[in-house]
Amino acid sequence: LSPDISLFFSMKMTMTYPTPRTPTKQRICPIIIRSRQQPSPQLHGLLLVLLTTATALLPPAASFSFNYSPAKRTLATNKPFHHGCPTSLNSSNNNNKHDIEEETVDIAIVGAGIGGLCAGAILNTLYHKKVGVYESHYLAGGCAHAFERVVQLDVDDDKDDDKKKKKVSFTFDSGPTIVLGCSKEPYNPLQQVLRAVGVDDQVEWIPYDGWGMIEHPASSKGNATDDDDDGKKKEKRWKLTVGPDHFENGPLTQFASSSSSSSGSNNIDAIREFNELREITKPLVTGAATIPAMAMRPGSTALIPLLRYLPSLLSIIRNGVEASTGPFGPYMNGPIFTVRNAWLRDWLDALAFSLSGLPADRTSAGAMAYVLFDMHREGAALDYPKGGLGEVVKALVNGVEQPTKSGSNKKAVGLGRSKVNLRHHVESIDTTEDGTRVVGLTARKAGGKMVKVKATEGVICNAPMWSLRKLIKNEKALAILSGRADGVAVKDPSGGSTSIAAQSWQTDPAVDPKTGRGSVIRPARQQQQQSSEDADNLLAKCDNAEMTGSFLHLHVALDATNLDLDSLEPHYTVMDRGLEGDDRIINGVPDGPCGELNMIAVSNPCVLDRTLAPKGYVIVHAYGAGNEPYDIWKSKSNDDNRATLTSTSRLDEEINSRDSGDRYQSSTYNALKDARGEALWRAIESIIPDARDRTVLAMLGSPLTHERYLRRPYGSYGAAFEDCLKDGSTNISNLMLAGDGVFPGIGIPAVALSGASAANGMVKVIEQWQCLDELKSQKLIS
């Protein structure tokens, strides 16, 4: 047995019968396990990642500036678009005591992203806590929010020949477009949370069976895999259908034999490799399917609720804890297994890149195993929420704010207590003078008025991990989070900026991004052996975590006249240079599915839900799948010690009035957007050839948009998997972390699970155990 499993049998166990805080008819488990040993964070982290499901979640361009004005349409403006955000948000702070509001909650949550909302819904509904969620944006949902746009169009009047103005509304998803595990069991953590807090009936999931693949768009048509006479690759069109045998008997058989590989393998070898890979990784998911998200908690008591699922836990770690909690590399490159077929390797990289913004060998082994399991199982389906992902966000907000039932009388309590507070920018997480506990937070409302929030039980921080240092103002608290026994905080070596954090993408400054491609993903950093001091330095881990790439988004509304929508797929993945990429090598890195602006996702949700656009129109969302380097968008003249766009004093300045370099000037910025956006237009036109002629609204969002409105440093997708925190616990006992910087990392199911874990960490383990008993009695978990 590994040391982690041996720990189960070496713990000193004390039988006690605790008295619950409130009367209950539930049977309380009498066993509390106490141990002087700390359970392995890798073992706990394994359970987190294995409960995630595949999601091609790409964070949004939360707000956009219009830069498209087709001659025959009426909508056109050159002014930067502010997405409705009030300019008064940047007002100078007035700290006059009479202008400071005060409020008290049990638990305060920083950020209304999916992780924060899941945590808030659980704490309010299941643990009957008064929760305050504080969000800078005017919309909840974080990177997964939805937004509406109203457009004034010319329409024909049936009574005369004149045209009249008509306002029409379009609903856009800013982020995810492919979700698994919501309409059918086994449910992913997001759906588990929705069910646990009783709001799952507020979301109607529409299942569908796959997505379209297009390689080399705008090249010569045809399905052949050979090159044209002029050397250009021919276009390939095929469909990835989920469920058993479809992949093996379809694209894998069709394309694997034509790919080159070091061993000269053919399609038969590729099918064998694929099936063996699924079999080897099967233990990572078969056990996890029986372990609910509500069994997770961070810190030293993490293993206690997992004892309810010990057989499943033992099944998961069959290959060892490190191999199960680490990246997929050992399953791709050995020693556990080696994938040799080149086409299959490219396909695995493409799947991984949509999950993590990194190649397969740097993506979570658990997440990859779940994709291989869930996409190809009997009854597999992809899911889309009717009305868009905003309906999921609304349901979670309702979970936070709904009255709850407590005790045996089941009377509603807490009416109007918990609340999601929008346009509340959190300035600081406040602590006691000695820094040993958090006591609340300070937020700034739109208009500049300050709010002091007293959190009697603690705070959950769902902000990006790189923001933690800036939110903690107390030097003693910073020292505690740095693991410093001497009480002296380690100064931020970046001088207050985020420049110390490594970027996944390296960019050649000599290449003009409007005309060329010069960026690649860096090789993985070597993981060095940490000293005990470094291992306890949470702030350093947050500051130095590698940032994955950013995004380019194109949201369009199209006139659907004579468009055969039923002949189209709800989603496409367009490989601009093919799955294998071109022959170019940059800094020793060959092109491939993870190359710069190669993989373009195109969401076409009106195929499934016509209500997202008015009759006669459709919406389309195309985006680079985390493959847009941030550095090509920042100013060349102010790279050092720059003030980030997330700076609170500059939040609402217009891009064309920035003083940080010529790339932020309106004409230059829009020219760069136009040039970089061509790959997105090309992807849409490979599906709807006359898309530009049909366009009534076009919005292009850059990494600067993502950084500016969602406060994502460098517009990052999230932390590289290797640098995710193992769980959300901190050295300050009542401060928990959640979000895509916490294991299992990036993706809607992943952040939902981190939110559930953080919520459970805010209550005693016996309360969590009782909650699990109640959920089991309702047949919501096993």
Side-chain angles (χ1 to χ4, degrees):
L1 295 176
S2 74
D4 294 286
I5 298 303
S6 299
L7 176 61
F8 284 123
F9 305 102
S10 65
M11 287 180 171
K12 296 180 180 180
M13 305 179 71
T14 303
M15 302 292 290
T16 64
Y17 295 85
T19 301
R21 293 182 177 179
T22 56
T24 178
K25 296 180 180 179
Q26 299 170 8
R27 184 177 180 181
I28 301 173
C29 175
I31 301 178
I32 293 181
I33 300 176
R34 296 170 180 165
S35 173
R36 295 178 182 177
Q37 294 178 272
Q38 292 286 329
S40 164
Q42 286 86 0
L43 183 59
H44 175 230
L46 167 64
L47 270 300
L48 292 176
V49 72
L50 291 175
L51 286 168
T52 63
T53 186
T55 300
L57 165 62
L58 300 201
S63 307
F64 306 87
S65 57
F66 291 48
N67 68 339
Y68 187 80
S69 52
K72 72 174 188 176
R73 307 298 180 185
T74 61
L75 178 68
T77 177
N78 292 321
K79 296 181 179 180
F81 192 79
H82 281 279
H83 202 43
C85 198
T87 56
S88 60
L89 190 63
N90 231 5
S91 301
S92 60
N93 297 337
N94 186 345
N95 291 323
N96 186 298
K97 186 175 181 179
H98 298 290
D99 289 334
I100 297 178
E101 296 180 5
E102 295 182 353
E103 55 188 67
T104 301
V105 298
D106 295 328
I107 297 167
I109 299 176
V110 181
I114 296 296
L117 292 176
C118 285
I122 290 169
L123 288 165
N124 173 67
T125 306
L126 301 182
Y127 295 123
H128 318 302
K129 303 294 184 182
K130 181 179 180 181
V131 178
V133 183
Y134 300 88
E135 167 61 44
S136 294
H137 206 287
Y138 77 95
L139 291 170
C143 294
H145 75 267
F147 61 94
E148 291 187 357
R149 282 292 174 270
V150 176
V151 181
Q152 186 169 276
L153 301 174
D154 286 335
V155 294
D156 293 325
D157 190 339
D158 295 335
K159 297 180 180 180
D160 52 53
D161 294 332
D162 295 334
K163 289 184 179 293
K164 292 187 176 181
K165 301 291 185 182
K166 178 182 179 182
K167 290 184 177 181
V168 295
S169 177
F170 300 94
T171 302
F172 293 97
D173 290 325
S174 61
T177 56
I178 294 183
V179 182
L180 293 164
C182 287
S183 63
K184 299 180 181 180
E185 295 186 80
Y187 295 124
N188 73 21
L190 172 65
Q191 184 67 1
Q192 289 180 39
V193 172
L194 292 172
R195 285 164 51 84
V197 302
V199 296
D200 56 305
D201 60 344
Q202 298 178 25
V203 182
E204 179 183 347
W205 294 97
I206 306 172
Y208 60 106
D209 66 352
W211 71 85
M213 291 290 301
I214 301 174
E215 301 183 53
H216 306 288
S219 61
S220 57
K221 307 299 181 183
N223 293 319
T225 58
D226 297 328
D227 294 350
D228 284 341
D229 293 337
D230 60 3
K232 293 183 179 180
K233 295 287 186 179
K234 289 185 178 180
E235 184 179 81
K236 298 178 186 177
R237 290 178 179 260
W238 49 283
K239 181 176 179 178
L240 188 285
T241 303
V242 299
D245 301 325
H246 295 296
F247 177 70
E248 300 93 308
N249 297 334
L252 190 57
T253 296
Q254 182 179 1
F255 302 123
S257 60
S258 62
S259 68
S260 60
S261 66
S262 57
S263 64
S265 62
N266 55 31
N267 55 356
I268 297 176
D269 294 328
I271 293 173
R272 175 185 54 78
E273 284 185 355
F274 179 72
N275 289 329
E276 288 182 5
L277 181 62
R278 291 190 70 217
E279 190 64 29
I280 288 172
T281 57
K282 189 175 181 179
L284 296 179
V285 291
T286 52
T290 64
I291 303 177
M294 284 301 300
M296 299 296 106
R297 70 181 289 115
S300 60
T301 57
L303 292 178
I304 295 177
L306 297 180
L307 290 176
R308 301 169 67 113
Y309 307 97
L310 184 58
S312 298
L313 189 64
L314 295 173
S315 172
I316 292 169
I317 58 175
R318 182 180 301 177
N319 288 321
V321 174
E322 291 296 331
S324 302
T325 61
F328 197 60
Y331 298 90
M332 280 276 288
N333 307 323
I336 297 176
F337 189 73
T338 302
V339 178
R340 302 186 183 280
N341 184 271
W343 190 91
L344 181 57
R345 290 181 67 89
D346 285 341
W347 176 246
L348 293 172
D349 278 340
L351 289 177
F353 197 71
S354 66
L355 290 170
S356 69
L358 293 169
D361 60 2
R362 297 189 60 193
T363 298
S364 159
M368 288 298 296
Y370 203 100
V371 172
L372 294 173
F373 160 77
D374 203 62
M375 280 179 45
H376 304 287
R377 65 179 173 87
E378 191 69 42
L382 305 175
D383 301 311
Y384 186 80
K386 186 173 182 179
L389 203 74
E391 297 303 306
V392 176
V393 174
K394 288 178 186 177
L396 288 173
V397 171
N398 289 340
V400 175
E401 298 184 342
Q402 67 187 346
T404 63
K405 296 178 180 180
S406 178
S408 58
N409 57 10
K410 300 300 182 184
K411 290 184 179 179
V413 299
L415 182 62
R417 300 192 328 146
S418 297
K419 185 179 179 182
V420 177
N421 301 276
L422 303 176
R423 293 189 175 97
H424 280 63
H425 172 67
V426 175
E427 299 279 2
S428 65
I429 295 175
D430 303 328
T431 69
T432 56
E433 186 175 348
D434 63 4
T436 57
R437 289 183 63 81
V438 295
V439 295
L441 52 82
T442 300
R444 175 172 48 82
K445 298 173 65 174
K449 194 165 189 175
M450 305 304 291
V451 181
K452 294 289 289 186
V453 181
K454 180 181 179 182
T456 59
E457 297 184 29
V459 172
I460 294 175
C461 181
N462 189 51
M465 62 193 303
W466 303 278
S467 302
L468 180 62
R469 181 185 292 273
K470 296 178 182 178
L471 289 171
I472 305 293
K473 308 299 184 182
N474 186 321
E475 290 293 323
K476 292 181 179 179
L478 289 172
I480 292 172
L481 293 175
S482 300
R484 295 293 295 258
D486 56 10
V488 178
V490 178
K491 296 296 183 182
D492 181 3
S494 69
S497 75
T498 54
S499 60
I500 188 174
Q503 303 291 300
S504 292
W505 288 81
Q506 54 185 352
T507 301
D508 184 352
V511 176
D512 184 350
K514 294 192 296 292
T515 58
R517 190 176 90 247
S519 302
V520 293
I521 296 179
R522 304 173 190 269
R525 294 188 293 182
Q526 293 295 321
Q527 298 293 315
Q528 298 179 350
Q529 188 69 29
Q530 290 182 322
S531 65
S532 59
E533 183 175 321
D534 290 338
D536 291 336
N537 193 337
L538 175 65
L539 285 182
K541 292 177 182 177
C542 292
D543 291 340
N544 298 326
E546 179 181 332
M547 294 179 178
T548 55
S550 191
F551 314 87
L552 200 64
H553 290 260
L554 177 61
H555 288 84
V556 298
L558 306 178
D559 186 330
T561 302
N562 298 323
L563 181 63
D564 185 4
L565 202 58
D566 293 329
S567 67
L568 303 178
E569 299 292 341
H571 184 92
Y572 292 86
T573 297
V574 180
M575 307 301 299
D576 196 52
R577 300 184 298 279
L579 190 64
E580 73 285 358
D582 58 22
D583 298 328
R584 187 175 176 188
I585 297 176
I586 300 175
N587 293 335
V589 180
D591 195 21
C594 308
E596 179 183 342
L597 279 183
N598 188 17
M599 181 190 294
I600 308 296
V602 182
S603 176
N604 186 24
C606 288
V607 171
L608 300 172
D609 184 4
R610 302 294 204 270
T611 67
L612 297 170
K615 185 177 181 180
Y617 298 91
V618 296
I619 59 168
V620 179
H621 175 201
Y623 48 87
N627 50 19
E628 181 69 355
Y630 177 87
D631 281 352
I632 68 175
W633 293 86
K634 70 179 183 179
S635 167
K636 289 183 178 180
S637 60
N638 193 23
D639 286 347
D640 297 328
N641 297 319
R642 69 180 187 87
T644 67
L645 285 170
T646 56
S647 170
T648 58
S649 65
R650 302 170 65 85
L651 176 63
D652 288 303
E653 290 187 25
E654 304 210 14
I655 286 178
N656 66 351
S657 66
R658 292 180 54 85
D659 59 1
S660 55
D662 58 354
R663 284 196 181 176
Y664 294 130
Q665 298 306 309
S666 181
S667 60
T668 305
Y669 178 64
N670 284 333
L672 183 57
K673 288 204 297 183
D674 289 342
R676 300 294 292 180
E678 275 303 307
L680 306 185
W681 278 113
R682 193 157 53 243
I684 293 176
E685 289 172 332
S686 70
I687 301 160
I688 305 173
D690 57 348
R692 294 197 212 208
D693 293 334
R694 294 176 176 271
T695 298
V696 298
L697 170 65
M699 300 175 289
L700 189 66
S702 75
L704 301 186
T705 316
H706 193 218
E707 179 185 44
R708 176 183 182 184
Y709 287 94
L710 292 180
R711 300 179 180 275
R712 299 290 304 183
Y714 283 72
S716 176
Y717 194 176
F721 171 72
E722 301 98 329
D723 291 343
C724 281
L725 303 175
K726 296 304 180 183
D727 67 24
S729 61
T730 74
N731 292 339
I732 299 176
S733 61
N734 66 335
L735 172 63
M736 300 290 170
L737 306 182
D740 53 34
V742 178
F743 206 95
I746 294 171
I748 279 190
V751 296
L753 194 141
S754 76
S757 178
N760 292 330
M762 298 302 296
V763 302
K764 294 180 178 180
V765 69
I766 188 63
E767 295 178 78
Q768 183 184 3
W769 195 287
Q770 293 173 358
C771 181
L772 291 170
D773 284 340
E774 177 66 22
L775 293 174
K776 184 175 181 179
S777 71
Q778 297 175 25
K779 298 183 179 180
L780 294 174
I781 63 172
S782 60

